[in-house]
Amino acid sequence: MKSNKSKKLKRPAVAVATVESQSNPLLWIYGASLIVALIAAFEVYGPALHGPFLLDDMPLPYMIPNAASIPLMGWLRNMRPLLMFSFWLNFQQSGAESTFGYHLVNLLLHLFNTVLIFLAVRKILSWASLEEANARILSFFAAGLFLLHPVQTESVSYIASRSETLSVFFVLAAFVVFLYRRSAALSIPRILCLLVLFAAAAFSKEHTAVLPALFILTDYYWNFEFSPSVIWRNWKLYVPIAIGVGVAGMRILAILRNNPTAGFQMRDLPWTQYFFTECRVIWDYVRLFFIPLGQNLDPDIDISRNIMAHGAVFALAGLLIVSVLAWIYRRSFPLASYGWFVWLILLAPTSSLVPIRDPMAERRMYLPFIGLLFVTLEILRRWKVSRNVLVGTLALVLVAEGALTYQRNLLWGNAVDIWKDTVSKSPSKYRPSFQLARVEYDAGACTDAVDQYEKTATLNRPQADLLLDWALAYDCAGNSQQAIAKLQQAAALRPSAHVYSQIGMEFGKMGKYPEALVALQRAQALNPRFAMTYDYLGNVHVMQGNLAQAVADYQHVLALDPNNQPARDALAHLGR
């Protein structure tokens, strides 16, 4: 082993000199590539730029009815303050009326990440001793594949997945800063930059805590001076990171103790079963990378209740065998070996031991995607063909990937279409069926929504929320009798002012005013501050000719909810 007194990295020094000597003649190529990437990104992701809010978008702060009155600090009281700040900026610009601004930011972040992928891959390939022209071609291909791969759609076109694009932006920025250094020892300014970027990544999403492991792995593979003493030489980076990760980890564990969708407290999904399941899911992710067919917004994954269930033992054996081979042949196939371990390390936060209610989601591939890129580049660097054939083939691959991504984004641009696609692939799963019924109702396809709610009810015992929404679909379809029946079932399961006010509304529409008033009085008793109860009371009093009482009802609505437009319209109609 070489003496640790020598602080210069031999490979980086050569690579930097080579790149710098040729950078000026290539500026036009890089500029043209950026323009092509920009056009390609807007072309393939364009169909989803005006796509709807979906699923996890709904609980976010911008969907709260009084979001405009929430101060900035109210948005930032969150485990992911930088992510919430980005949403706050979007909300200031377009509220929750238009999704374009939210989607645009996601897409621009994906473009920035593509540039960072190019820079990171370019540096690693220079250390892997590839011929300059081939290294440049493969770097462009890697960046293009990251930009255009259809599995990226969920991370880019799903607004809630801003957590992926934003956090990975900071991770990749830190990775590039780490790579483009001239010595094994990091300077103080560079350390400060890395700490700021790491903190920004952690404040965007917690899974980025594995970044230090990526740094150490990278130094092991590509730094001739790698040793514990060299790592310790950068203690000013790793010690603050370790402290930060420890503090954040304790806070996350405290939150997970009472989290119904993640953590070790889920009795129906212990960590062992989750681990066995993830051994299979990791191979599903690998398959999606190389064969991006059968994508699914909400996959229905069977849980491996023991190591033998659903072939988990073979999946685990496969992971162990590939990992052992990657280690044994790390000198012969350094890019593939490095990429495999990068893939596993960056995937570990979501696909190892900490249970998450949904075992699989395509957006979880966004951070570790770079690992499989290096595996792919190892294969391509050994392909013995002419440069023209290589460039032509890679260009065709990118065109094909872009076409698949465009088709996927056509679905993401329409709520009904994406949920129909999901239901067709997860026909036995409750959530996609329920979501399809909801979006059909929102789209005014009332009869279709009624039918879909009926199908959903066969997948699980109907809960109050389902029955309430089912009743609204019946109301939309003009069947008040069935609507009341579903509402009464919902009230029996979970009585609330909302349910009883809806029952009163339905009786009022049928002209059954005594029954309507009884239901609305019950709603008042359950929650006297539920504004819509008084709106429906006003409607009943108007239909009974009691205009003075109706005016009082509508005024009471506005006292509870000053932004209630139906009450304002009713008072205007009554000349008040």
Side-chain angles (χ1 to χ4, degrees):
M1 178 178 292
K2 294 189 177 183
S3 171
N4 290 334
K5 294 181 180 179
S6 174
K7 296 185 178 181
K8 294 293 181 182
L9 292 169
K10 288 194 173 183
R11 288 186 177 181
V14 173
V16 169
T18 304
V19 172
E20 288 178 351
S21 67
Q22 299 186 17
S23 60
N24 290 334
L26 295 173
L27 281 178
W28 71 271
I29 295 179
Y30 295 137
S33 299
L34 281 174
I35 294 172
V36 170
L38 183 67
I39 295 171
F42 275 89
E43 182 64 28
V44 300
Y45 293 100
L49 281 176
H50 292 278
F53 293 115
L54 291 170
L55 201 56
D56 290 342
D57 297 333
M58 302 307 178
L60 291 170
Y62 51 73
M63 297 301 290
I64 298 174
N66 64 334
S69 64
I70 301 175
L72 175 59
M73 290 307 300
W75 289 65
L76 301 184
R77 291 192 191 97
N78 188 284
M79 281 291 292
R80 303 171 181 178
L82 271 183
L83 174 65
M84 293 302 121
F85 180 67
S86 75
F87 286 137
W88 179 83
L89 290 175
N90 274 131
F91 185 78
Q92 301 310 304
Q93 189 271 329
S94 58
E97 302 301 319
S98 170
T99 62
F100 176 77
Y102 297 87
H103 285 297
L104 180 62
V105 171
N106 280 21
L107 181 54
L108 292 177
L109 284 169
H110 186 51
L111 275 165
F112 295 150
N113 290 340
T114 298
V115 174
L116 293 170
I117 285 285
F118 173 83
L119 294 173
V121 170
R122 187 74 183 83
K123 175 59 73 173
I124 296 295
L125 291 185
S126 71
W127 294 347
S129 302
L130 266 73
E131 193 272 328
E132 176 67 20
N134 284 345
R136 192 181 311 121
I137 291 169
L138 293 182
S139 298
F140 276 120
F141 173 71
L145 193 58
F146 180 85
L147 177 69
L148 300 174
H149 198 290
V151 82
Q152 307 288 49
T153 302
E154 186 172 318
S155 297
V156 180
S157 299
Y158 190 7
I159 293 173
S161 286
R162 172 87 56 86
S163 59
E164 303 294 336
T165 53
L166 183 62
S167 64
V168 171
F169 168 74
F170 292 119
V171 167
L172 291 176
F175 190 40
V176 168
V177 170
F178 182 81
L179 291 176
Y180 282 82
R181 71 196 200 271
R182 294 177 180 273
S183 64
L186 294 161
S187 66
I188 295 299
R190 195 174 293 267
I191 287 174
L192 291 176
C193 181
L194 288 170
L195 289 174
V196 169
L197 290 170
F198 178 72
F203 285 142
S204 301
K205 193 168 185 179
E206 303 77 23
H207 67 165
T208 55
V210 294
L211 181 57
L214 175 62
F215 290 165
I216 294 172
L217 181 74
T218 301
D219 267 355
Y220 172 79
Y221 269 83
W222 309 111
N223 180 1
F224 281 158
E225 296 183 81
F226 180 84
S227 69
S229 62
V230 171
I231 296 175
W232 181 246
R233 188 183 302 168
N234 294 318
W235 68 269
K236 294 175 183 177
L237 171 66
Y238 291 116
V239 169
I241 285 179
I243 294 172
V245 169
V247 172
M250 292 176 63
R251 186 179 176 190
I252 291 169
L253 287 174
I255 293 173
L256 290 179
R257 287 193 187 101
N258 299 311
N259 194 310
T261 61
F264 296 104
Q265 302 304 311
M266 293 191 293
R267 296 181 179 179
D268 61 332
L269 187 58
W271 70 267
T272 51
Q273 295 180 12
Y274 186 77
F275 173 73
F276 297 148
T277 304
E278 288 306 296
C279 290
R280 295 162 35 224
V281 168
I282 289 173
W283 288 113
D284 287 336
Y285 287 145
V286 172
R287 193 271 305 167
L288 277 173
F289 178 87
F290 289 104
I291 308 174
L293 300 175
Q295 290 181 256
N296 189 346
L297 169 58
D298 197 358
D300 192 4
I301 304 296
D302 293 321
I303 301 299
S304 292
R305 300 298 177 186
N306 56 66
I307 197 172
M308 300 303 296
H310 306 290
V313 63
F314 301 109
L316 176 58
L319 292 174
L320 292 174
I321 290 169
V322 173
S323 297
V324 169
L325 292 175
W327 179 255
I328 292 173
Y329 293 102
R330 64 190 183 280
R331 303 301 181 192
S332 302
F333 304 94
L335 284 175
S337 176
Y338 172 70
W340 176 254
F341 290 116
V342 167
W343 163 252
L344 292 181
I345 287 172
L346 297 185
L347 195 60
T350 60
S351 301
S352 55
L353 301 177
V354 181
I356 302 174
R357 178 64 61 192
D358 295 319
M360 182 178 182
E362 291 171 16
R363 60 187 177 274
R364 294 176 192 161
M365 293 179 64
Y366 196 74
L367 175 62
F369 193 92
I370 189 173
L372 293 183
L373 283 178
F374 285 120
V375 174
T376 304
L377 296 180
E378 182 74 79
I379 298 170
L380 291 175
R381 73 183 288 199
R382 297 171 185 278
W383 191 24
K384 304 300 182 182
V385 294
S386 68
R387 188 165 295 157
N388 288 340
V389 171
L390 177 65
V391 171
T393 303
L394 297 184
L396 286 175
V397 169
L398 293 181
V399 170
E401 299 283 359
L404 291 173
T405 303
Y406 177 80
Q407 293 296 322
R408 189 69 182 158
N409 277 275
L410 287 174
L411 294 175
W412 276 88
N414 184 289
V416 173
D417 289 345
I418 187 63
W419 284 117
K420 279 186 176 179
D421 176 78
T422 306
V423 168
S424 70
K425 295 168 181 173
S426 300
S428 300
K429 195 169 185 177
Y430 177 86
R431 183 170 55 193
S433 182
F434 182 58
Q435 291 296 323
L436 175 58
R438 274 191 167 179
V439 298
E440 286 179 332
Y441 169 77
D442 291 339
C446 306
T447 302
D448 291 341
V450 167
D451 293 341
Q452 189 61 42
Y453 278 121
E454 186 172 0
K455 293 175 184 176
T456 305
T458 66
L459 300 177
N460 201 351
R461 179 180 297 177
Q463 302 296 312
D465 289 342
L466 170 67
L467 292 166
L468 176 58
D469 289 350
W470 196 354
L472 294 176
Y474 269 121
D475 172 73
C476 175
N479 192 336
S480 293
Q481 196 65 49
Q482 283 293 337
I484 290 174
K486 297 304 174 189
L487 288 167
Q488 289 173 335
Q489 291 178 42
L493 290 174
R494 192 175 67 201
S496 68
H498 187 190
V499 171
Y500 275 102
S501 68
Q502 293 295 315
I503 294 173
M505 179 197 71
E506 292 295 342
F507 277 129
K509 290 171 66 172
M510 296 171 67
K512 296 182 177 181
Y513 304 130
E515 292 90 339
L517 291 173
V518 169
L520 293 169
Q521 287 167 2
R522 174 64 172 152
Q524 286 178 281
L526 288 167
N527 183 359
R529 297 192 59 79
F530 186 68
M532 289 308 295
T533 299
Y534 303 95
D535 188 74
Y536 298 142
L537 272 172
N539 295 343
V540 171
H541 287 136
V542 166
M543 288 184 283
Q544 289 181 319
N546 189 350
L547 301 186
Q549 184 58 50
V551 168
D553 292 331
Y554 294 133
Q555 289 174 339
H556 192 62
V557 172
L558 294 177
L560 294 171
D561 180 10
N563 298 318
N564 189 289
Q565 194 58 44
R568 289 184 180 278
D569 294 340
L571 285 173
H573 182 72
L574 293 173
R576 300 300 179 96

